[in-house]
Amino acid sequence: MKIKISLLLAASNASRFRTFATCSLLCSSFLASAQAQTAPQLGKAPLKEVIAALTPEEKVKLVVGMGFYPAGFPEGILPPSDPEDRKVPEKIPGAAGRTHAIARLGIPSLTLSDGPAGVRIDPIRGGDSTKTYYATAFPVATLLASSWDTTLVRKVGVAFGSEVRDFGIDVLLAPGMNIHRNPLGGRNFEYYSEDPVVAGNIAAAMVNGIESNGVGTSVKHFAVNNQEFNRMQLNSKVSERALREIYLKGFQIVVRKAQPWTVMSSYNLVNGTYTSQSRDLLTTLLRGEWGFKGLVMTDWYGGKNPVAQLQAGNDLLMPGTTAQTQAVLAALKSGQLTTAQIDANVARVLTLVLQSPTFKGLKYTSQPNLKADAAVARQAAAESMVLLRNEGKTLPLAAGRKVALFGNTSYNLIAGGTGSGDVNRAYTISIAQGLTNAGLIVNAPLTQAYGQYIKGEKAKLPKTKGLLDPAPVIAEMPVDASLLTQQSQAADVALVTIGRSAGEGGDRKVENDFTLSAAEQALLKQVATAFHAQGKKMVVVLNVGGVIEVASWRDQADAILLAWQPGQEGGNAVADVLRGTVAPSGKLATTFPAKYDDVPYSKDFPGRLLASTGQASGNSLTGAPSENTYEEGIYVGYRYYNTFQVKPAYEFGYGLSYTTFAYSNLKLSAPTFAGKMTATVTVTNNGPVAGKEVVQLYLTAPSGKLEKPESELKGFAKTGLLQPSQSQTLTFSLTTADLASFDTATSSWVADAGTYKVKVGASSLNIKQTASFAVPKALVAEKAHKLLAPQAPITEMKLSQK
Ligand code: BGC
């Protein structure tokens, strides 16, 4: 009985507790909802009211990200973020960053993810491999730019952006579009070109394609981030003219033509100021002069002073640290950071949130159409590869030909670069597989030998320490003499692939990277000798992310196909071109110099440590104070080679086809320039097979007050697929801005008076048609601000040094 009573008591206590608990839950949720009803909600109340309702702490949360805990980084290596943030489960594992939510005002957290060649997220979640989250590895940026085809790049962007959307990501941290200043730049594969007109137009097509899916992009790294060496503390010293004409112009084009949702400032300093702390760059120029409407975020852990970053107009500090939170809050409380300033930053964060798929509540499947996107990746790769050499019509190869495949990367294709530009893809089609798929016969004994060798070497590789510590490339397999003889007798043709990998965190080297290794040179020589002795040919495929040396060995090759790093469908795309299913139509958007020493100021790349600080070279997360002076000024890439008559191995704009094209009838709309002009030219396929031609318009300006390069690209277009004898007329337009150079003395863009020569051609050195027009009186295209001036005058290369 006693027991019964106590049980009853316990039960009634429990029910009382339940009643109390229910009441307090109800009451507090009633209170919360009452509060929520009174608190202005994002998207419902005017933005101003939402901002006014934020506490200082909440404002700081909105401008500082939620931290970053990538797999493979031991705890403690990266600066900690708010420990509380760690408890919030990641929406998309493997994404690069998140913004804070403020639930009471209806502000959700956004997810940001890399990167330039495909969505970079973890393919497996929580150890459950029954469901995967692979993304398509599209071809790298350098390859896409070689298409010179904005329609094609937009199509890649549309497919790419559909994966961003389908994975529930709000902003893609791409495209990258820094200038290829030097072939050794470790991230050149993530960037498009040495020329800002190509980079800007290709990037604009990419942004427009991606954003057509209702997701955002972050155009990066703004600006002058042309190397990896000490990237967190490197000061790039550049003249205002070179900045405006070369390093900033591509970004200006992308802002004008695509108005991206966001821009990512870079790690480096320009003329003494971190780009993320430069109001000149982020506010006066980007927003003021160019009319950028979106948000600026830092690169991950970029810059030093979070308050200066916000004041500069860098609205979001990514990925966010506790130290930043504390510093910004303290500055806000002390008045060092004004409420008006942080409100402006917050307004841009909230405008981004309002645009985002997360805010709009868009449902996502996490299952993009990988099959359809792979087809786009393959088409883009095949249509952008550059045929560098094709002696005696070595290519295309007929079906059924027996191919002896040499080179590790024939079997182990390098789909893309490393670091944040890498993509977790479901598969990579090797060249061996691609050729087999296309009906060519790949010789088995060689395949077996390489298979065994690669497996053995891979097993010996050290375990990588994460994103910025990629596995080294396997050394080239020495080929046994008897196997070689047997192959040269059995096969119809030899194919040798040379591969290179690079990526974030380090620049490339001259030896065994820009130049071929001794093993690679030996392989080419052996194979060429053995096959030529049998009257058979050797084709070389370059599976590289950046420029390499070709002049010393190319004569041994009958054909050279520059396949770049062609993404996961690379092997199929290489086969499409080798077989002639797709006629090659890519052209170089970056010069292949004859030798490394020909690159202007190559010896000074990537810069020097500032010894005065006594600090040894830092790693890619810290860096050490360093600087690099851009002494070549505006003479970057072909602007240098063509002006100073340094003959490259393959010039800017170069590329062969399986057909040929005739150019005719270049016509200008008027003999005298009156603010606008059009040029038309007719291109005819006068060869044997269907093909597309990239047509380039260069302008040679009169020498007036300012020095001018020999010529500069002002426009480009690609024909449709022209059948033999078919013609197409292309139209280019020129405005005053296209004629103008930046005059530092007057801070304005000026087109000198005189005669301008229009040169339309198949490359920067292969001009097919010319015409001239007059500018009777100098024209000012635009007045600009005086900004970003070097701390001390820079001695730049001059025409008189020719
Ligand atoms: C890279 C950026 C990248 C970011 C997030 C940085 O180290 O420089 O390009 O978007 O990390 O992964």
Side-chain angles (χ1 to χ4, degrees), residues 41 78 255 354 378 401 438 578 605 611 646 690 706 724 755 786:
Q41 297 295 295
L78 293 171
V255 167
L354 281 165
R378 176 175 179 169
R401 302 268 279 166
L578 294 182
F605 185 87
V646 177
L706 303 174
T755 304
K786 172 119 194 107

Side-chain angles (χ1 to χ4, degrees), residues 1-16:
M1 182 69 176
K2 252 187 175 172
I3 296 170
K4 251 189 174 173
I5 290 170
S6 59
L7 274 177
L8 270 174
L9 272 175
S12 80
N13 273 343
S15 90
R16 274 207 337 253

Side-chain angles (χ1 to χ4, degrees), residues 182-199:
N182 182 294
L184 303 187
R187 296 183 80 173
N188 280 0
F189 75 95
E190 293 186 55
Y191 307 144
Y192 295 118
S193 175
E194 67 190 23
D195 178 86
V197 171
V198 176

Side-chain angles (χ1 to χ4, degrees), residues 68 95-97 113-116 120 173-174 187 190-191 220-221 225 228 231 264 267 298-301 420-421 467-468 504 620-621:
F68 185 44
S113 177
D114 285 309
R120 188 174 63 80
L173 305 171
R187 296 183 80 173
E190 293 186 55
Y191 307 144
K220 66 190 188 184
H221 307 89
N225 190 167
E228 287 298 279
R231 60 182 186 168
M264 187 190 290
Y267 282 133
T298 59
D299 197 349
W300 271 223
Y301 306 109
S420 60
L467 196 65
L468 301 184
E504 188 178 352
S620 43
L621 286 175

